[in-house]
Amino acid sequence: MERDSSDDDDDRETLIHQNDTKHDHHLPSSDNHPSTFDIQHFDNNSPSSRQRRRFVFNKRFLFAIFLPLFIVLVYFSADIRSLFSANVSSFTFDSVTDRMRESELRALSLLKQQQSQLFALWNQSFSNNTDTTPFFRDAKSALLNQISINKQIQQVLLSPHQNSNLSESGDTIGSNFGLETCRKAVSVVANKRTIEWKPKSDKFLFAICLSGQMSNHLICLEKHMFFAALLGRVLVIPSYKVDYQYSRVLDIEHINDCLGRKVVVSFEEFAEMRKNHVNIARFLCYFSSPQPCYIDDEHIKKLKQQLGVSVGKIENAWKEDIKKPSKKTVQDVEAKFKTDDDVIAIGDVFFANVEQEWVVQPGGPIAHKCKTLIEPSKIIMLTAQRFIQTFLGSNFVALHFRRHGFLKFCNAKKPSCFYPIPQAADCITRVIERTNAPVIYLSTDAAQSETGLLQSLVVLNGKTVPLVQRPPRNSAEKWDALLYRHHVEDDAQVEAMLDKTISAMSNVFIGASGSTFTEDILRLRKDWRLASVCDEYLCQGEEPNFIAGDE
């Protein structure tokens, strides 16, 4: 089955167009969950107390906003010596240069005072507050912006004196003034629910995944694992003859090791166990519409002709439409799909909505001893680490910049998620400001004309922030040697998983809203405990400043 592997979540080849289906992914979306920057209301006990604190906060906020303007006016229009009574007798002002030097020192002093007040305001009002109201979201963003402006003014004042002792005055203007604005996100799950996966060795669930491309298939496979655990069955991983070659991108044995028992087998191992008499005894469809089991005749033919699988009668367990999947419980699944048949199939379950709150827990719904069950192969993990050590270092931002086929898809959503390059560059720069990262790892399907423009516009403090992509093969470089040694260097799915792995290991990740490629990266970051409070979708909370018309 041929697929356009460069576009991991292009659903134009699926049975149902992606634009017509609302995906309820297992990770937070901007529609259903608060932003990583969102903060809660102050804990007030009465309306009068809340009003009084809001008034105090407004005064502080306005002071923080207008102080930079005051500094600029003072610096350019006033005689500094007449405004301050401090003793500056140690300086001899016998020239214009000396007076300018005094002005710069005074301006720096004011800026440092403002810095302390902004820092105090952050600690008192924002650091542990997760109010989600628009006012507090805007206020938090404005405060971070004022911190940035303060830093820039100090740098401007210090720039003529970088080689002089005056530069010592700027030793406190480091990244974000010590504010840990992009700390790790701590995922604490109260009353975490897990299920023990203890399958009977002679009972199997035949996994079938057809929707979209690799990222969609991985989500489908993860849900099949949950179903197999609920039904007490060993999961049969699809064959590369009718699906992707999962053994190249996933560590299959890692799943068994995490459970301490055999819970998944490859199709080839399954066929050997069955002495090549492979039959699906019952096809109990999870989805009845638009087609039973969300499977077409072509795939049934491939199962029979290429794998030698005999397929029993296909029957619907219930009425369920992929366009409007209803919420199902564990009890619902067990009641409909429990059977004594040796081998069963339930079709593609990518769109299934079963115990969603349970499924999205860090590490997933199944009890195991690892951080996550579905993770990249060891070859890909090591290659990602070697790439990071070679090109990126410990502090980098990763960006999934989805463009191919995304314009039409995003414009069908409200609001759209496809941003003009200049607007995208502004959003990226704001994240870089908070992280102080020197480089950005770019995972994209965009044309060079777009990435070139984006690179020219991502500028912070007068310096371009490099957008780093994986370079073409060079025999002088050894970071990718493992891929060539195992003959997987030209596999598009291996390259896509490598992109995901590098991105998942970043300090901060910027994703593409609506992309299952992004969602899989967020899943890995959550499960590996690498997620940051600064992780977000590109231009999260903003609408594109220009949107094209419909066809």
Side-chain angles (χ1 to χ4, degrees), residues 398-433:
L399 168 66
H400 176 216
F401 193 55
R402 169 76 189 276
R403 302 296 276 185
H404 178 67
F406 219 43
L407 176 59
K408 183 176 180 181
F409 166 76
C410 280
N411 281 357
K413 300 173 65 177
K414 303 297 180 187
S416 174
C417 52
F418 192 89
Y419 297 91
I421 297 289
Q423 184 178 0
D426 285 343
C427 296
I428 295 164
T429 303
R430 287 198 295 270
V431 175
I432 289 293
E433 252 184 342

Side-chain angles (χ1 to χ4, degrees), residues 12 14 20 138 149 234 526:
R12 291 177 295 177
T14 62
D20 297 330
D138 293 344
I149 291 173
V234 175
K526 176 188 65 178

Side-chain angles (χ1 to χ4, degrees), residues 172-192:
T172 60
I173 64 168
S175 172
N176 293 326
F177 308 121
L179 296 177
E180 295 184 8
T181 57
C182 289
R183 63 188 182 277
K184 296 299 181 188
V186 180
S187 299
V188 179
V189 180
N191 303 319
K192 183 174 181 178

